[in-house]
Amino acid sequence: MHIHILGICGTFMGGLAQIAKALGHEVTGADANVYPPMSTQLEAAGIGLIQGYAADQLRLAPDLIVVGNAMKRGIEVVEAMLDQGLAYTSGPQWLAEHLLQQRWVLAVAGTHGKTTTASMLAWILEDAGLKPGFLIGGVPENTGQSARLGESPFFVIEADEYDTAFFDKRSKFVHYRPRTLVLNNLEFDHADIFDDLAAIQRQFHHLVRTVPRSGLIISPLQDDNLHEVLEQGCWTPLEYFDSRIEAQWSCRLESADGSRFQVLCAGKHQGEVDWALNGQHNVANALAAIAAARHAGVPPRLAVEALGRFRNVKRRMDLRGEVDGVRVYDDFAHHPTAIRTTLEGLRAAQPERRLIAILEPRSNTMRLGTLAAQLPKALELADQLLVYVPDSLNWDARQVFAPISNRTELCREVADIVQWVSAEARPGDQILVMSNGGFEGIHQRLLDALAARRG
């Protein structure tokens, strides 16, 4: 079958394309922005790419068009596809019908930590010799790829609550039908498509409804929003985890920054994780991953050992470089809770170093300003804050950051941020860049500027 994918360069669609190719299909695709690293990965897999959404690409005469959720009515190729009556479907639906129905799906849902927890889970299964498939919204450093078909029944997927396509407004994850489901946490997010928290909870409950009674749902003990979801009805056994209080899956911290901790199941010691990650949020992610892996047959002792060899996901507390004692980190955090937990982790790991946070409020929710009032509190652990404030921002940044104005710089241009760092950073500083986008290549620009001042 010849499959043509619209919006192919997103992480999910790009991963789906590689899986479709591995299944033996002819695959082509188009995107408004075709650029590395995804374009390089796809071309290396033998997938032809088209820049843009002109209607003439339909001359390829595909058997099926898979439509990404970035596609909207009014886009030329979408209108031509509908006019010609061509066969089309969404990415999640195609994945469900052509792959997931035959697999033991282990899904990781939640507002925060989906990518990291799914990566941990896939790595634990891989390290145990189970050769799982996976589709993750990031690039785990252990595998160097975001998607793989796998050689066993097990398939790990990051279960995103964002909507499926312009013709299917349900969350993507309702298509996946997991046997093992991790509910990591739940907060209000995606203000561009959800009116309120209850609207997101409704989608999460749709997901809960799809898990068989012979499956397993793993959920945090202290998350009222998820408790409300489960109280709407749950037909599947539940296991609870918590990194701060006693739960079925809990821990005993051996180091304050979470880089070393004991894993407990029903109060019994299972082993000690000693790894390169830190932060209480990652300890919680690890507990959920260990519990899910046990459901797939991996003894917790082996899971603990595997996490000791786990390397993080790119763009999650990713040390991009160090120049003259100044470290530049890249992190995907773009929600107040994720921003706060990321700062807590870095502060706990290196309490003696000055912490400079650089924030791009780029996500739809951040640009709309729905959670803007929470930002000063979320960023309070930073010694210095630089906020990128483009003209397109829909809220008054000066007013929002007034409570911490004495240590906040509002910058209209990325170049202004680079110039500030070049002039003010000193040996020992940690610079944490937080954005869910490319941020105009700021990470390398910062490192170049620091190197240039050295002469």
Side-chain angles (χ1 to χ4, degrees):
M1 177 182 287
H2 176 189
I3 298 170
H4 187 60
I5 300 176
L6 301 179
I8 194 171
C9 284
T11 307
F12 173 82
M13 298 300 279
L16 183 148
Q18 294 174 68
I19 287 172
K21 186 73 176 178
L23 285 170
H25 299 294
E26 179 187 355
V27 182
T28 56
D31 203 288
N33 297 297
V34 175
Y35 57 84
M38 183 55 78
S39 63
T40 307
Q41 284 187 47
L42 294 173
E43 287 167 350
I47 296 170
L49 300 177
I50 296 170
Q51 175 86 37
Y53 298 127
D56 60 1
Q57 63 192 270
L58 297 181
R59 293 175 186 164
L60 293 169
D63 300 298
L64 179 68
I65 299 173
V66 178
V67 181
N69 70 348
M71 297 294 100
K72 303 180 187 308
R73 288 300 306 264
I75 293 176
E76 186 178 342
V77 68
V78 171
E79 296 303 316
M81 175 189 79
L82 295 174
D83 285 339
Q84 296 174 35
L86 301 179
Y88 65 91
T89 187
S90 69
Q93 185 166 349
W94 184 90
L95 195 69
E97 293 176 349
H98 292 82
L99 179 69
L100 299 184
Q101 281 184 350
Q102 293 81 41
R103 308 293 283 267
W104 177 320
V105 177
L106 301 101
V108 180
T111 307
H112 315 291
K114 291 187 292 293
T115 301
T116 303
T117 305
S119 299
M120 290 179 188
L121 177 54
W123 169 243
I124 291 170
L125 301 186
E126 176 73 13
D127 196 62
L130 297 181
K131 299 182 178 179
F134 55 83
L135 178 49
I136 296 169
V139 182
E141 294 191 12
N142 286 95
T143 60
Q145 55 188 145
S146 58
R148 191 172 68 190
L149 184 58
E151 301 176 30
S152 75
F154 301 109
F155 194 92
V156 178
I157 189 163
E158 179 175 333
D160 186 11
E161 70 271 28
Y162 210 79
D163 64 11
T164 299
F166 73 84
F167 48 86
D168 182 354
K169 306 313 287 183
R170 295 173 295 168
S171 291
K172 290 184 207 171
F173 58 37
V174 302
H175 294 274
Y176 298 156
R177 312 290 172 88
R179 179 163 294 278
T180 307
L181 172 62
V182 174
L183 300 172
N184 235 14
N185 41 59
L186 179 54
E187 290 188 76
F188 182 62
D189 196 7
H190 304 308
D192 52 321
I193 60 170
F194 293 118
D195 291 333
D196 50 31
L197 177 64
I200 305 177
Q201 288 177 308
R202 188 174 305 115
Q203 294 294 323
F204 270 74
H205 193 245
H206 291 336
L207 174 62
V208 167
R209 286 171 177 269
T210 66
V211 186
R213 64 182 181 182
S214 57
L216 178 67
I217 295 176
I218 298 153
S219 184
L221 189 57
Q222 296 187 101
D223 191 312
D224 291 340
N225 295 334
L226 282 174
H227 285 317
E228 290 174 5
V229 169
L230 295 168
E231 285 168 359
Q232 294 177 38
C234 181
W235 301 264
T236 306
L238 276 163
E239 291 185 3
Y240 290 102
F241 67 94
D242 203 294
S243 65
R244 296 179 186 274
I245 63 172
E246 186 174 341
Q248 182 167 2
W249 292 93
S250 58
C251 70
R252 187 173 297 134
L253 290 181
E254 297 293 335
S255 63
D257 65 353
S259 61
R260 201 157 50 83
F261 58 95
Q262 294 184 41
V263 174
L264 307 175
C265 180
K268 295 182 179 178
H269 176 81
Q270 304 296 318
E272 181 174 304
V273 174
D274 185 354
W275 62 355
L277 276 66
N278 57 53
Q280 196 91 29
H281 59 300
N282 276 323
V283 175
N285 292 338
L287 294 175
I290 293 168
R294 187 179 74 154
H295 191 224
V298 179
R301 175 182 57 80
L302 295 183
V304 165
E305 293 174 5
L307 288 178
R309 295 183 284 275
F310 178 71
R311 297 164 59 196
N312 209 351
V313 185
K314 289 186 182 299
R315 303 213 62 198
R316 268 68 178 179
M317 201 61 80
D318 189 3
L319 178 61
R320 294 290 297 270
E322 180 173 350
V323 178
D324 282 344
V326 180
R327 295 177 179 174
V328 177
Y329 291 91
D330 180 20
D331 197 271
F332 202 68
H334 58 277
H335 183 285
T337 300
I339 290 168
R340 178 177 54 78
T341 54
T342 298
L343 286 167
E344 284 176 350
L346 194 54
R347 173 64 81 193
Q350 303 285 344
E352 75 285 0
R353 288 174 173 258
R354 189 168 69 142
L355 179 51
I356 300 171
I358 299 174
L359 175 68
E360 181 188 25
R362 181 181 176 276
S363 71
N364 290 329
T365 302
M366 279 291 107
R367 283 192 291 104
L368 289 169
T370 311
L371 303 175
Q374 299 179 27
L375 287 174
K377 181 73 174 175
L379 289 154
E380 64 182 359
L381 285 177
D383 297 299
Q384 178 67 44
L385 172 64
L386 304 170
V387 183
Y388 177 47
V389 186
D391 292 337
S392 59
L393 206 63
N394 292 337
W395 41 277
D396 186 342
R398 192 167 299 281
Q399 182 178 2
V400 166
F401 291 103
I404 53 174
S405 61
N406 60 326
R407 49 194 166 103
T408 301
E409 295 284 336
L410 303 179
C411 303
R412 294 279 178 189
E413 305 288 341
V414 172
D416 296 337
I417 298 174
V418 175
Q419 184 176 19
W420 189 99
V421 169
S422 177
E424 301 293 337
R426 53 182 187 256
D429 284 352
Q430 299 185 104
I431 298 174
L432 174 61
V433 180
M434 293 176 285
S435 168
N436 69 335
F439 209 167
E440 300 182 22
I442 191 172
H443 316 88
Q444 192 58 50
R445 292 168 68 179
L446 290 170
L447 290 167
D448 291 344
L450 291 168
R453 75 176 187 178
R454 183 173 56 186

